[in-house]
Amino acid sequence: SFREWQPRTRDGELLSVLWSNVRLPDGKVVNLGMDVTESRRAEAALARMARVDSLTGCWNRAEILKRMEERLADGRHGEVGPTTALMLDLDYFKQVNDRYGHLGGDVALRHFCDQLRTCLREGDSIGRLGGEEFLVLLADADAAVARAICERLRASLRQHPADIDGSVVTLSVSGGIASFLPGDATASDVLRRADFALYQAKRSGRDCAVEYRS
């Protein structure tokens, strides 16, 4: 039988080696080793691809919802602090697609995500729900933190316009904020409140964030 061993090279590179010690009838021992480092890396890359949105590099819808469910479960056991969901939607994205085509829209989405990452804390999770709609999962954060992040993002988008086919395009975003509540049974409960708050932000003129209030 083989066991996996993970030694490090002198340069600090982590390897994966299948190793077995085989005892022969005469009592001698033969050491068999097989380097499977590249195979393990390929497996890890494939596993990650299944969880990541290929265009933006954010978590895909299934993965961000899975993380929400895990956070809810941890909260029911009292193992985590407050959690807040920030739902974001790029304003007038259809106009960007209509003017610059879908490739231009892709540039805008990647630019938006790059700016969003600069505004988040370590440990925050970004997921693409679909189209131009994204969800940010803020661990150990209340609505005030979500609002501050949204304000930083709006300022960053104004200060750093997107370059689409040589044109300077200033993007804006609307946000809906919803805190996790003790009575939430599933991620859908949180998403429903965040989506309602996002709808209110759009009705208020867009380029703003609204917190859900019961």
Side-chain angles (χ1 to χ4, degrees):
S1 62
F2 284 86
R3 299 182 66 181
E4 187 160 341
W5 177 41
Q6 295 186 318
R8 288 189 180 274
T9 66
R10 291 181 179 179
D11 297 331
E13 180 185 5
L14 188 66
L15 304 177
S16 293
V17 178
L18 292 181
W19 191 268
S20 182
N21 299 323
V22 181
R23 185 174 296 277
L24 301 178
D26 61 3
K28 295 180 180 179
V29 176
V30 176
N31 306 119
L32 301 177
M34 181 168 56
D35 187 350
V36 294
T37 303
E38 291 305 318
S39 175
R40 290 292 184 264
R41 288 174 179 169
E43 290 171 3
L46 286 173
R48 180 175 175 79
M49 285 173 60
R51 300 184 296 152
V52 172
D53 175 63
S54 59
L55 175 65
T56 63
C58 300
W59 298 120
N60 60 26
R61 181 185 181 90
E63 178 65 19
I64 195 66
L65 294 183
K66 173 176 171 287
R67 289 174 174 236
M68 285 187 73
E69 296 290 0
E70 290 172 349
R71 188 76 183 179
L72 281 168
D74 290 341
R76 284 192 286 270
H77 294 115
E79 299 173 356
V80 296
T83 306
T84 302
L86 172 60
M87 188 177 288
L88 298 169
D89 190 276
L90 271 174
D91 296 330
Y92 306 111
F93 183 68
K94 185 177 182 301
Q95 295 180 10
V96 175
N97 268 336
D98 289 345
R99 182 169 182 178
Y100 301 100
H102 289 293
L103 291 179
D106 290 349
V107 172
L109 289 171
R110 286 193 293 266
H111 177 79
F112 168 77
C113 291
D114 289 342
Q115 296 305 311
L116 175 56
R117 289 186 184 97
T118 66
C119 300
L120 297 179
R121 310 162 306 160
E122 184 177 356
D124 293 337
S125 299
I126 314 170
R128 186 183 181 191
L129 296 178
E132 69 275 22
E133 192 168 75
F134 295 82
L135 182 73
V136 182
L137 191 59
L138 303 169
D140 302 314
D142 57 14
V145 173
R147 188 179 292 276
I149 287 173
C150 198
E151 291 305 309
R152 287 201 299 271
L153 174 61
R154 292 174 56 234
S156 182
L157 291 173
R158 289 193 297 268
Q159 295 166 8
H160 305 283
D163 182 349
I164 305 178
D165 291 337
S167 298
V168 176
V169 181
T170 302
L171 304 172
S172 68
V173 66
S174 299
I177 301 168
S179 298
F180 282 36
L181 300 177
D184 290 330
T186 67
S188 296
D189 295 331
V190 184
L191 290 174
R192 193 176 300 111
R193 296 195 302 273
D195 187 61
F196 181 81
L198 177 60
Y199 174 74
Q200 294 298 319
K202 291 179 180 180
R203 287 195 63 185
S204 299
R206 304 177 190 259
D207 194 21
C208 66
V210 170
E211 177 186 352
Y212 178 87
R213 297 183 184 278
S214 57

